[in-house]
Amino acid sequence: MSTHPVVDLPVPLLISPEGGIEGRSRRYEKFLGDMAGVYHDEAAWQASVAARGADELIYWVDDHRYQDGVDGPGALIIGTSTLLPGRYGSEFAVTRGHLHAIADRAELYYCLSGRGVMLLETIDGQSEAVELTPGKAVNVPGHWIHRSVNTGDEPFVTLFCYAADAGQDYALIADAGGMKSLVVADGDGDGWKLTPNPDHTGYRPS
Ligand code: MN
């Protein structure tokens, strides 16, 4: 009797520094109109929707995953995140952000192009911001809520890699009135700083 496992076949991937992955399994897209409640300055976001339209594409995520899923919980999802530049009041453009549904799952983010910040928070109130420019990376430990922020004026593109069983909990941030910190413009040029989010009510783990 054979004891060899069923295996996935290796797939070559071509990853573009401008974002995108040839050989991807899926693309996830977010439009300006999807970002209701995400930005502290709701009026500024509404003005952007009025000026640019709710159907303007603002970020997208391409990934590759083995659809058969025969690899078990150690399988990897690999992809690129592309977040276009923008400002809503003083706040820079962000992704919705999440905690992994299996919270101890870690994730690599490696900056391919543009400039930005990985905003990182824990349920118990720790807050960190890691600046990312091409060649810089962050190894996000488990139990850290994470969100990409574009602090530049070009697309902010990162390569990511995480465990295939991690999943994403998006409600945690929304239920807390947003993340604890905002990444806002600091003076001229591409300066940024963290400022407390007055809408944040604390995280309530489910
Ligand atoms: Mn993640």
Side-chain angles (χ1 to χ4, degrees):
M1 192 173 97
S2 171
T3 57
H4 295 295
V6 176
V7 296
D8 286 307
L9 295 176
V11 172
L13 304 172
L14 187 61
I15 292 163
S16 160
E18 289 77 39
I21 183 165
E22 202 173 291
R24 71 174 185 250
S25 307
R26 61 181 77 184
R27 168 169 286 185
Y28 165 97
E29 296 178 327
K30 277 289 165 190
F31 300 88
L32 187 53
D34 296 330
M35 302 300 277
V38 171
Y39 291 102
H40 168 64
D41 189 339
E42 185 80 6
W45 170 76
Q46 284 175 349
S48 292
V49 172
R52 290 149 55 187
D55 58 355
E56 184 176 305
L57 184 63
I58 50 167
Y59 72 87
W60 60 94
V61 176
D62 289 337
D63 72 38
H64 175 266
R65 54 185 76 194
Y66 288 105
Q67 303 291 356
D68 293 342
V70 297
D71 279 357
L76 300 176
I77 296 175
I78 294 170
T80 62
S81 164
T82 303
L83 171 60
L84 299 183
R87 283 261 298 276
Y88 303 88
S90 61
E91 194 177 355
F92 286 108
V94 300
T95 59
R96 279 194 301 166
H98 58 260
L99 179 68
H100 290 152
I102 301 180
D104 68 0
R105 297 303 193 247
E107 184 161 8
L108 164 73
Y109 281 92
Y110 174 82
C111 181
L112 293 171
S113 62
R115 64 169 51 237
V117 167
M118 192 61 59
L119 183 61
L120 300 153
E121 296 180 355
T122 59
I123 296 269
D124 63 2
Q126 298 177 76
S127 189
E128 297 280 340
V130 177
E131 194 162 48
L132 292 175
T133 52
K136 289 187 178 175
V138 56
N139 185 346
V140 178
H143 299 285
W144 282 84
I145 299 155
H146 45 285
R147 153 182 286 172
S148 298
V149 186
N150 188 337
T151 58
D153 51 15
E154 296 172 15
F156 175 50
V157 184
T158 50
L159 171 74
F160 60 80
C161 180
Y162 65 98
D165 67 348
Q168 286 90 13
D169 176 352
Y170 295 105
L172 184 70
I173 295 175
D175 292 347
M179 290 182 75
K180 184 181 177 187
S181 295
L182 305 175
V183 181
V184 300
D186 182 22
D188 298 330
D190 53 18
W192 60 273
K193 64 179 180 181
L194 295 182
T195 191
N197 176 8
D199 302 327
H200 181 72
T201 57
Y203 292 115
R204 293 179 293 278
S206 50

